[in-house]
Amino acid sequence: MATITFPTGKDISIEVNGQKMAVAQSYKAKTTKTSRTVEAFGSREPVGTIDGRVQHQLELTRVRVLQGIQDPVDFYQLSGFNVVIARPDRKIIYSDCQWSSIFEAASAEDLLFETVTLVAGKRMEVLP
């Protein structure tokens, strides 16, 4: 029987220069490609397709900035960071990330970003 595991807060992290600076409770990832068809004069159907640009969009929920990191980073100034999702069989790394929207909430203990939407320049999978 196969075991299904879901990522947890310790498995989804935001890294800057290899240092984990925040963790997320969950994520959604959407990858789109702007491909198109090639038309030929007089043909009723396309004669082929052309590869388009790939865009990765992520939505992280309940992002918590880690306490005690050596160089605290202003989250709103972040640019070119990585999102790392650790799974039992592989790591998924979204690199060259830029945030596009942040919904923030604060509690007495610490800062929590309810939702962070970002785009990534590249996605790669690393096997153990």
Side-chain angles (χ1 to χ4, degrees):
M1 183 172 170
T3 303
I4 298 173
T5 58
F6 295 96
T8 63
K10 65 181 178 148
D11 302 323
I12 306 165
S13 61
I14 296 173
E15 295 182 0
V16 176
N17 298 327
Q19 180 183 8
K20 190 184 288 191
M21 61 134 333
V23 293
Q25 183 177 5
S26 63
Y27 78 100
K28 292 179 189 176
K30 178 182 177 182
T31 300
T32 57
K33 187 190 295 189
T34 56
S35 302
R36 60 187 176 99
T37 58
V38 177
E39 306 290 330
F41 184 73
S43 177
R44 289 185 167 197
E45 294 185 15
V47 294
T49 58
I50 296 176
D51 237 0
R53 183 179 0 170
V54 175
Q55 181 179 359
H56 308 285
Q57 183 175 2
L58 286 98
E59 181 179 285
L60 305 177
T61 54
R62 304 203 44 92
V63 176
R64 184 175 309 278
V65 176
L66 295 174
Q67 300 296 326
I69 56 176
Q70 290 179 343
D71 298 320
V73 178
D74 180 2
F75 202 83
Y76 290 93
Q77 299 299 319
L78 278 182
S79 177
F81 55 93
N82 293 342
V83 173
V84 178
I85 299 157
R87 293 190 175 171
D89 60 338
R90 67 186 181 273
K91 255 188 202 181
I92 301 171
I93 302 170
Y94 291 92
S95 59
D96 195 24
C97 296
Q98 306 288 334
W99 65 268
S100 59
S101 71
I102 297 174
F103 175 68
E104 182 179 328
S107 66
E109 296 89 35
D110 53 6
L111 180 64
L112 180 71
F113 299 107
E114 284 293 333
T115 307
V116 176
T117 305
L118 54 100
V119 293
K122 186 176 179 184
R123 178 191 187 273
M124 68 177 176
E125 292 189 21
V126 179
L127 299 174

